[in-house]
Each structure stands twice: as structure tokens, then as C-alpha cells.
Amino acid sequence: MLTSQDLKNDIVATVRHALSEDIGSGDVTAQLIPAEQQATARVISRQDAVICGVEWVNEVFRQVDPSLTIDWRVKDGERVVRDQVLFTASGSARSLLTAERGALNFLQTLSGTATTSRHYADQVEGTGVKLLDTRKTLPGLRKAQKYAVTCGGCYNHRIGLYDAFLIKENHIMACGGIDAAVATAKRNEPGKPVEVEVETHAELEQALNAGADIVMLDNFSLEQMREAVAFTAGRAKLEASGGVTDEMLRPIAETGVDYISIGALTKHCQAVDLSMRLID
């Protein structure tokens, strides 16, 4: 589970790293501007989108120059339209231009993730299913993208390899079977969710008998999913995975599964087109 403190710590560290790789020994181009020159910049979205990344932008400006001020016109999770003003920032012209790319990189990427998530969430509205992200995130932006997914109306799967079990085919083989894998998981880390990936009805039955909390139905057909829902009868949560396309998403949701995991929420996101211009 992603806590607010985890996220706050991650924002500070991630922004520090991003600025280090961008600014390095100093912004040589910004030094062309007189040190005393003040300016105001306006950032707009060049497309319809769902916004995410307010605190990352705030932290970029804070680390570059704490005297910069930001006036936000939107908040995380809000839908915006083309040419809508997102925020204005004022202060040292040098600082504004040094912070520009780092701030927009976070905002465009996380808004892209939130926008993609909203696209999928809208398609299953009213079904009761929860759409889950995966670990297919951009390196270094795991927690940021996980947060962005929630801003788009979807939900987080495990954050990493440490907070929940996901026992897949290779784990099952190495452990000597589903029953042994689940038993060892519950003994090693009692209280942590145990999920088992299955490929057949027989494996589903084994996972249920072993006491799995969640069973991932890997590439099941719609009919197989409906049968799995009826057979499970609430003994465990069911998650559909694999072959999830726009066309198949709602039919899968309507089988009665509890979750659908979609790697595309974080893996296929396209950055939102943003623009920053000095206005005085």
C-alpha cells in the first residue's frame, strides 16, 4: 500500500535526481539572463487530459529556487481541455527557465498515465470491477506512476516485490506445487496477501484449496471466467489478466471477476503535450 509519507519521500528524492541529471554543474543558458530579471510563466495543456503531478512540479520549483511562487488553476485528477491554463509561476527568470523542463517532464508523464487510466476506467463504469496496474512502470517512477493511476480512477496492485505475494508458474515449479508455495508464503509472511496465477480450472481448484486470497486467471476465455466466478463463489478474489484490449475490457468486467490487471496503464502511457511561455 502506498502511503502519503512514502509518496512525499519519493517525490523529494525523485525530483532531486531528475534535477541533478538535467542541471549538472549549472544551467549555462539561463546565465545569459540578468540575475535580477523577474518574470511570470504560464503553462497550458495542448490537449484534453487528466492532470497529475502537482506536488512534483511544486518540488521542482522549490528545489531550484524556494522564492518562486506557483498559482495552480487545477488539481490532480481533474479533467482539462485543450489550451486550458494549468498554472502560472513567478519569480527569477533564470530560475523559471531552469526549472521548466524538469517540472514539465513530471507533469506530462504523470498526466499521461492518469489520462490513460481514466480512458480504461470510463469503459467499465458501473460494472463494479476494479482495474489494477502492474509493475510495468518507468524505472525510478514506480510510486509516481502508481499514484497517477489512482488519479485516473484505477487502482494499485502490489507496489513491488515486498508487499504482497504473486506466485506464478516458475514459482510454483520451483516450490514443488501450488499447495506448497501458498503454505510457505503464509508461514513466511503471515498477513500479506497471497495471489496465485493459474492457467487451468484444475489449477484454480488447487489454489482455492490451498487458501489463496486472490487467484489470477491467466488468459482465460470469457466462458472460462464465468465458470471460474461461479465455481469460486466468493472463496477468493478473482483477477483477470492477459489479452485485455479495449474491445474485450467490458465483456471481461461483466463476467463477474473482481479485478482486471492492465499493464498498459503505466507501460503504454503517452506524455501529455504541455507548453510553458513567459508572459511578462
Side-chain angles (χ1 to χ4, degrees):
M1 179 180 177
L2 187 59
T3 69
S4 59
Q5 189 59 52
D6 286 339
L7 196 60
K8 184 180 295 186
N9 294 341
D10 190 70
I11 291 170
V12 172
T14 305
V15 167
R16 183 180 296 116
H17 178 74
L19 291 178
S20 175
E21 67 182 3
D22 193 31
I23 299 172
S25 59
D27 182 350
V28 295
T29 312
Q31 298 306 308
L32 302 175
I33 303 168
E36 68 278 5
Q37 185 167 329
Q38 301 290 295
T40 297
R42 180 170 57 204
V43 172
I44 66 169
S45 177
R46 294 195 178 278
Q47 65 183 86
D48 295 354
V50 175
I51 293 303
C52 179
V54 168
E55 290 306 321
W56 283 261
V57 173
N58 290 343
E59 184 63 19
V60 167
F61 281 97
R62 188 193 69 79
Q63 290 192 25
V64 169
D65 182 349
S67 70
L68 294 174
T69 61
I70 306 175
D71 178 20
W72 282 97
R73 312 291 177 82
V74 298
K75 59 185 178 182
D76 284 346
E78 186 174 332
R79 295 181 192 255
V80 300
V81 298
R82 179 186 175 93
D83 294 329
Q84 183 171 338
V85 177
L86 307 183
F87 69 89
T88 58
S90 301
S92 162
R94 283 185 178 183
S95 298
L96 288 173
L97 295 177
T98 296
E100 174 187 1
R101 179 42 49 201
L104 295 191
N105 279 351
F106 282 112
L107 191 60
Q108 70 186 19
T109 301
L110 299 184
S111 294
T113 301
T115 301
T116 298
S117 298
R118 186 76 262 171
H119 166 76
Y120 284 103
D122 285 346
Q123 294 184 62
V124 298
E125 186 175 0
T127 65
V129 77
K130 289 185 176 182
L131 303 185
L132 304 179
D133 55 23
T134 70
R135 287 168 47 240
K136 297 174 183 177
T137 54
L138 296 172
L141 288 180
R142 169 69 55 81
K143 292 176 181 176
Q145 281 196 290
K146 291 276 187 178
Y147 169 76
V149 163
T150 66
C151 289
C154 295
Y155 296 83
N156 296 150
H157 204 283
R158 56 181 180 163
I159 303 302
L161 295 171
Y162 54 88
D163 58 330
F165 291 95
L166 179 47
I167 301 169
K168 297 191 174 188
E169 180 182 9
N170 287 333
H171 300 104
I172 293 168
M173 182 176 296
C175 289
I178 290 175
D179 189 68
V182 172
T184 303
K186 288 181 175 292
R187 184 171 61 250
N188 286 356
E189 296 281 353
K192 287 190 176 178
V194 178
E195 181 170 1
V196 178
E197 180 185 69
V198 302
E199 298 178 349
T200 66
H201 182 86
E203 290 181 346
L204 168 63
E205 188 171 0
Q206 292 174 45
L208 293 175
N209 290 338
D213 301 300
I214 308 169
V215 180
M216 179 187 288
L217 309 176
D218 183 36
N219 286 300
F220 274 41
S221 68
L222 292 177
E223 182 57 32
Q224 287 173 321
M225 288 182 201
R226 284 189 285 267
E227 292 173 355
V229 169
F231 180 77
T232 301
R235 286 181 286 169
K237 298 291 187 180
L238 294 180
E239 174 185 335
S241 179
V244 180
T245 63
D246 277 16
E247 295 74 22
M248 289 297 294
L249 185 56
R250 192 166 186 94
I252 292 173
E254 290 173 343
T255 64
V257 295
D258 301 284
Y259 309 119
I260 304 173
S261 53
I262 307 174
L265 297 184
T266 53
K267 187 177 65 166
H268 294 167
C269 76
Q270 182 174 353
V272 170
D273 190 9
L274 306 174
S275 175
M276 183 177 114
R277 291 288 184 272
L278 296 184
I279 55 177
D280 65 29

